[in-house]
């Protein structure tokens, strides 16, 4: 493990600051402690984001005594936006979990990238409220751009980790890396296309997000097709 690159040995990071701290940082327990703190912090942020999304789904304050059915129907856009963003956050959390399973240690760049990703992810309740309250080209653009930024930052951070042999496990195969790239670029492509479509029809732009699942399956099929062809030969 490189002493200059890892968080435990990085002299330019916030810690360690003393010789005693540096000696402590060389212990495997230090790496595990640092990674656990990053994971726990990330999990807490994801949980708070989902909680904030749920808090935005509520009936109008002037709903007392009114017929409940029309009010519930009026909340359907908020419920739909909540369900969509919940699935997005859950997917982001699963990707985060899968990537950290391959990590042996972390460095300051990886911590900074993870923090930046969480900061941008924290804007999802805001962009979701815009989407549910104003299905306009600008609202769709901000929502889609928010998710694209999260995916791009996460991928850049993970790409840095993959280039550092001392940070990732040998269990991270080339196949696993291609699958991770596919899971990253499909959302970027779909949401990017929806931004252009939003200025023609915001409703069709939002509908185009349904392409996420078949898009991922299609790329998976393209990746496996050459392997099947070689087997048949």
């Amino acid at each position: 493990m490189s002493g200059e690159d890892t968080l435990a040995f990085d002299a330019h990071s916030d810690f360690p600051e003393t010789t005693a701290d540096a000696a402590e940082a060389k212990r495997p327990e230090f790496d595990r402690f640092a990674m656990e703190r990053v994971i726990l912090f990330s999990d807490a942020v994801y949980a708070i984001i989902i909680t904030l999304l749920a808090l935005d789904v509520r009936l109008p304050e002037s709903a007392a005594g009114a017929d409940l059915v029309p009010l519930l129907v009026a909340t359907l856009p908020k419920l739909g936006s909540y369900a969509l963003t919940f699935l997005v956050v859950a997917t982001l959390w699963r990707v985060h979990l899968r990537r950290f399973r391959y990590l042996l240690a972390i460095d300051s760049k990886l911590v900074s990238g993870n923090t930046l990703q969480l900061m941008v992810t924290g804007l999802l309740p805001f962009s979701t409220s815009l989407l549910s309250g104003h299905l306009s080209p600008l609202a769709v653009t901000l929502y889609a751009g928010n998710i694209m930024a999260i995916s791009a930052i996460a991928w850049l951070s993970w790409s840095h980790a993959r280039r550092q042999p001392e940070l990732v496990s040998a269990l991270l195969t080339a196949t696993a890396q291609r699958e991770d790239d596919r899971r990253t670029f499909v959302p970027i492509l779909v949401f990017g296309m929806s931004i252009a479509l939003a200025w023609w029809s915001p409703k069709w732009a939002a509908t185009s997000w349904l392409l996420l699942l078949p898009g991922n399956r299609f790329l998976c099929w393209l990746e496996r097709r050459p392997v099947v062809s070689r087997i048949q030969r």
Side-chain angles (χ1 to χ4, degrees):
M1 188 175 297
S2 173
E4 295 180 355
D5 292 337
T6 60
L7 177 62
F9 294 81
D10 190 355
H12 300 288
S13 64
D14 293 337
F15 57 89
E17 297 180 352
T18 66
T19 304
D21 290 337
E24 178 71 14
K26 296 181 180 180
R27 295 171 53 189
E29 292 82 358
F30 185 90
D31 285 336
R32 289 196 295 269
F33 172 77
M35 287 189 58
E36 288 176 357
R37 292 297 301 273
V38 172
I39 293 172
L40 289 174
F41 175 69
S42 302
D43 287 348
V45 172
Y46 285 125
I48 292 172
I49 291 172
I50 289 178
T51 302
L52 293 176
L53 289 172
L55 290 176
D56 191 53
V57 182
R58 56 183 181 270
L59 296 176
E61 296 181 357
S62 58
D67 189 3
L68 187 58
V69 175
L71 293 174
L72 291 176
V73 172
T75 62
L76 288 179
K78 286 190 175 182
L79 286 172
S81 298
Y82 164 77
L84 171 65
T85 309
F86 182 94
L87 292 176
V88 168
V89 175
T91 302
L92 292 171
W93 177 81
R94 289 184 61 186
V95 171
H96 189 273
L97 173 65
R98 184 177 63 251
R99 287 172 175 173
F100 269 73
R101 288 179 60 187
Y102 289 110
L103 287 179
L104 300 175
I106 53 178
D107 63 4
S108 57
K109 290 184 178 179
L110 192 55
V111 172
S112 299
N114 186 75
T115 304
L116 180 60
Q117 177 195 347
L118 294 176
M119 183 186 73
V120 180
T121 306
L123 294 174
L124 278 175
F126 170 70
S127 60
T128 302
S129 66
L130 290 179
L131 185 68
S132 61
H134 312 276
L135 189 58
S136 63
L138 182 58
V140 172
T141 298
L142 291 176
Y143 183 83
N146 195 173
I147 297 177
M148 290 177 63
I150 296 168
S151 300
I153 294 170
W155 183 81
L156 290 173
S157 179
W158 179 237
S159 297
H160 161 73
R162 293 191 307 193
R163 292 193 299 269
Q164 314 301 320
E166 68 274 10
L167 296 184
V168 296
S169 168
L171 297 176
L172 180 61
T173 63
T175 301
Q177 294 185 43
R178 288 195 300 270
E179 180 181 356
D180 184 87
D181 290 340
R182 184 178 68 248
R183 292 176 181 270
T184 299
F185 290 128
V186 168
I188 291 178
L189 178 62
V190 171
F191 282 102
M193 292 175 57
S194 72
I195 291 178
L197 188 59
W199 297 94
W200 173 69
S201 173
K203 291 184 178 180
W204 278 107
T207 304
S208 70
W209 297 335
L210 296 175
L211 295 173
L212 286 172
L213 182 59
N216 187 66
R217 291 183 179 273
F218 176 71
L219 290 182
C220 183
W221 175 78
L222 286 181
E223 181 178 332
R224 293 177 180 177
R225 187 179 178 184
V227 177
V228 175
S229 299
R230 287 195 297 268
I231 293 176
Q232 291 176 346
R233 292 176 184 175

